[in-house]
Amino acid sequence: MAPLFAAPPRGVATVFARLPDELRNATAESGWNALQPSGLAAPSFLEGPSFDRDGTLWCVDVVNGRLLTVDERGEFHVELAYEGWPNGLKIHRDGRVFVADHQHGIMVYDRERRRITPLLERWRVERFKAINDLFFARNGDLYFTDQGLTGLHDPTGRLFRLRADGQLDCLLDNVPSPNGLVMDREERTLFLAVTRENAVWRVPLDRQGLPTKVGRFLQLSGGVGPDGLALDTGDGLWVAHAGLGCLWRFSAEGEPLQRIDAPVGKLTTNLAFAPGTADIFVTESTTATILHASVECCGQSMFSHG
């Protein structure tokens, strides 16, 4: 049978930075590692790349409980080490650093005081399963995914929205492993990576901001599944395909337009555009590297830079 789409142009990223070995010091018995399926223990696990208003690249090390910054020379700096499992990171317009933490929920890091505190630990009376990633809309609403260990065997992962006024809404509660998320340019639709279904869902929002006519936008194959998502100014949807070691760019209609392969490792977990540029930075978690690729379209402006 002929392929549904022609194979897109294919390129290869370059290594921008690598976490020093002395910071890759988690053991197989450390908290996060001990709870993973057999064979998935890691000395470090990079995730959550995001740029602040000064152009500094941030990311997290889930296993070692660290918030990291990376300078223009590719050198890592430990901004904060704490008792937690940070998995996603986004920066507020006011400079605060919001962290999706598997253990503690939504955390906020105050850079001046160098202190991290919980903002949101529960949905009603119950604790979250394990928050994974987050995204700010232009109006300051915070969308985030509660993934835990959900999957096709347990499709109970959740999508939440914390409104700027403090109201917390559970938008979906039937997702088999919700992960990365991003909104389209009009912010009428949210794209949601559903890792263990190897799919990206399309979540239209009605006039009250509630989901309607949710469907599967992309069905991928191979690897582990889609992880981080990003949007460019040409309405291209970028997908970090964990386990396949690549990024995909899809059109607004879902047609594959470009593939960028990792030069090392297969666990391409998340990505971010440098502000105002067409430069993508990608976390590859097995080798503790950050990869770089220059593409055609600039990244869509984030809330932090609005």
Side-chain angles (χ1 to χ4, degrees), residues 60-111:
V60 299
D61 180 352
V62 185
V63 186
N64 292 295
R66 295 184 181 123
L67 308 186
L68 304 167
T69 56
V70 189
D71 64 28
E72 59 187 11
R73 297 168 296 179
E75 295 182 1
F76 282 85
H77 307 275
V78 178
E79 180 71 22
L80 180 73
Y82 72 103
E83 291 295 325
W85 301 337
N87 195 93
L89 184 150
K90 288 293 187 295
I91 297 169
H92 195 278
R93 187 171 293 164
D94 62 14
R96 289 179 297 162
V97 178
F98 281 65
V99 177
D101 186 290
H102 274 222
Q103 280 188 292
H104 305 301
I106 299 293
M107 308 281 283
V108 178
Y109 176 58
D110 184 322
R111 286 190 271 184

Side-chain angles (χ1 to χ4, degrees), residues 175-216:
V175 190
S177 186
N179 200 322
L181 64 171
V182 71
M183 301 189 86
D184 68 358
R185 284 204 289 169
E186 292 76 25
E187 298 198 343
R188 297 173 185 167
T189 297
L190 186 142
F191 293 103
L192 175 64
V194 184
T195 303
R196 293 166 196 138
E197 195 196 26
N198 219 336
V200 175
W201 287 10
R202 182 176 179 270
V203 185
L205 301 175
D206 65 18
R207 293 182 181 181
Q208 287 72 46
L210 300 176
T212 181
K213 297 185 177 180
V214 177
R216 187 180 293 111

Side-chain angles (χ1 to χ4, degrees), residues 81-300:
Y82 72 103
E83 291 295 325
W85 301 337
N87 195 93
L89 184 150
K90 288 293 187 295
I91 297 169
H92 195 278
R93 187 171 293 164
D94 62 14
R96 289 179 297 162
V97 178
F98 281 65
V99 177
D101 186 290
H102 274 222
Q103 280 188 292
H104 305 301
I106 299 293
M107 308 281 283
V108 178
Y109 176 58
D110 184 322
R111 286 190 271 184
E112 292 185 1
R113 299 181 180 180
R114 297 183 65 82
R115 185 174 68 179
I116 193 165
T117 55
L119 175 71
L120 196 62
E121 298 177 280
R122 299 177 184 273
W123 161 240
R124 296 175 178 165
V125 298
E126 66 183 75
R127 295 188 71 88
F128 296 111
K129 297 174 184 289
I131 293 178
N132 185 287
D133 207 352
L134 62 172
F135 175 83
F136 278 108
R138 283 192 295 268
N139 65 357
D141 288 354
L142 178 65
Y143 293 81
F144 62 93
T145 51
D146 187 24
Q147 181 189 51
L149 297 177
T150 62
L152 292 175
H153 69 296
D154 175 25
T156 59
R158 298 179 290 191
L159 169 66
F160 285 96
R161 176 182 57 219
L162 179 63
R163 295 181 185 264
D165 63 9
Q167 177 180 324
L168 180 62
D169 305 312
C170 181
L171 301 180
L172 296 174
D173 61 4
N174 64 334
V175 190
S177 186
N179 200 322
L181 64 171
V182 71
M183 301 189 86
D184 68 358
R185 284 204 289 169
E186 292 76 25
E187 298 198 343
R188 297 173 185 167
T189 297
L190 186 142
F191 293 103
L192 175 64
V194 184
T195 303
R196 293 166 196 138
E197 195 196 26
N198 219 336
V200 175
W201 287 10
R202 182 176 179 270
V203 185
L205 301 175
D206 65 18
R207 293 182 181 181
Q208 287 72 46
L210 300 176
T212 181
K213 297 185 177 180
V214 177
R216 187 180 293 111
F217 179 66
L218 300 172
Q219 182 65 67
L220 305 179
S221 63
V224 176
D227 197 325
L229 304 179
L231 195 76
D232 66 33
T233 54
D235 289 326
L237 177 66
W238 287 89
V239 180
H241 197 153
L244 200 61
C246 71
L247 301 181
W248 298 98
R249 182 180 186 244
F250 292 92
S251 72
E253 296 75 32
E255 182 176 356
L257 300 177
Q258 189 174 0
R259 172 174 172 165
I260 298 176
D261 291 313
V264 292
K266 295 292 184 182
L267 210 54
T268 40
T269 51
N270 215 327
L271 69 156
F273 279 92
T277 76
D279 291 318
I280 297 179
F281 292 83
V282 186
T283 47
E284 198 296 305
S285 298
T286 54
T287 59
T289 54
I290 293 180
L291 311 177
H292 166 259
S294 294
V295 297
E296 293 182 3
C297 292
C298 293
Q300 180 68 21

